[in-house]
Structures are given as C-alpha cells and as structure tokens.
Amino acid sequence: MGFMNKILGDGPSGSVGDYVELDLDDFETASDEAGMSIHIAEIGGQQDVIAIKDAVYDGDLVVADITRLRTEDTTVERITDELQQVAREVDGDIVQKGDDQLIVTPSGVHISRQKLGRN
C-alpha cells in the first residue's frame, strides 16, 4: 500500500502499529529562534506590573492572574488602566477574561472577542 493510499484511505484502515508516539523530549527545541514568548504572571500588587510591562514592550504576550486582587477594586482598576496604556503604546491588545485573568499582547497580535466553537 502506498503512502498516499494510507493518507486518503483507499485501503484497509491503519492499525495501532502504523502510528508512533512522539516524545517532545527527543527533539531539540529552537526557543532562541522564537519571535515571541508567552509569559504567565500573577499580580499580587502594583509592583508586579513592572515585569509585565517589560515583557510586553519586549514583544511578548502575557497572561496575568489577577485572582488575588478581586477584593481590591481600585487596585484592579489602576493596574488595568496601566496595562491598557501599555497595550495602546505598543499597538497591541488587552482583554480581561472572566474575573481572574488579563491577557496583554504586543504589536501585531489581536485577541478575538469571539469564542471558538460558538455559532
């Protein structure tokens, strides 16, 4: 059976032996070549915003957990305003996902406001 027949299905279906499980540890990763990194941050106060701003200015995307700030509405507003300013300055985007996450992107990355899989 030829390779194309396996892909197109013109023959008996593949058996478990036809597939190989890949372990990512077996492959070299080229993280130095990536144009953008995604950072996970936890905001506990105003001081944590500095590292987020630096990452976005460097062209990286940040997903920030703001769960610890829920009770401090003025702090959340101040931090959100500051990160909105950063997103505007770099021509990026920012969105709050639920009550617990902020996503801030650099230039060239837009966050869709529509969920996938919804009609």
Side-chain angles (χ1 to χ4, degrees):
M1 175 187 312
F3 178 72
M4 289 305 291
N5 288 340
K6 286 183 181 180
I7 293 174
L8 298 175
D10 291 331
S13 61
S15 66
V16 175
D18 291 340
Y19 301 95
V20 177
E21 186 172 333
L22 299 177
D23 184 2
L24 291 179
D25 293 334
D26 294 340
F27 298 94
E28 286 188 36
T29 58
S31 62
D32 293 340
E33 296 177 17
M36 175 179 28
S37 295
I38 299 175
H39 299 276
I40 307 299
E42 187 172 292
I43 302 176
Q46 191 70 35
Q47 70 281 1
D48 298 322
V49 175
I50 296 168
I52 294 169
K53 290 169 62 173
D54 288 344
V56 175
Y57 283 130
D58 288 343
D60 294 337
L61 185 146
V62 178
V63 178
D65 181 357
I66 58 171
T67 305
R68 294 173 50 192
L69 299 175
R70 278 190 206 176
T71 58
E72 303 172 34
D73 291 335
T74 58
T75 304
V76 173
E77 287 178 30
R78 190 170 40 237
I79 289 171
T80 302
D81 289 345
E82 194 169 338
L83 292 175
Q84 284 175 336
Q85 179 64 33
V86 171
R88 276 192 295 273
E89 288 175 6
V90 299
D91 197 26
D93 203 357
I94 183 170
V95 69
Q96 183 169 344
K97 183 185 169 295
D99 291 334
D100 59 347
Q101 291 182 340
L102 286 174
I103 302 170
V104 188
T105 69
S107 177
V109 180
H110 169 73
I111 302 170
S112 174
R113 276 31 178 200
Q114 291 184 323
K115 292 184 179 182
L116 294 176
R118 289 216 165 172
N119 295 326

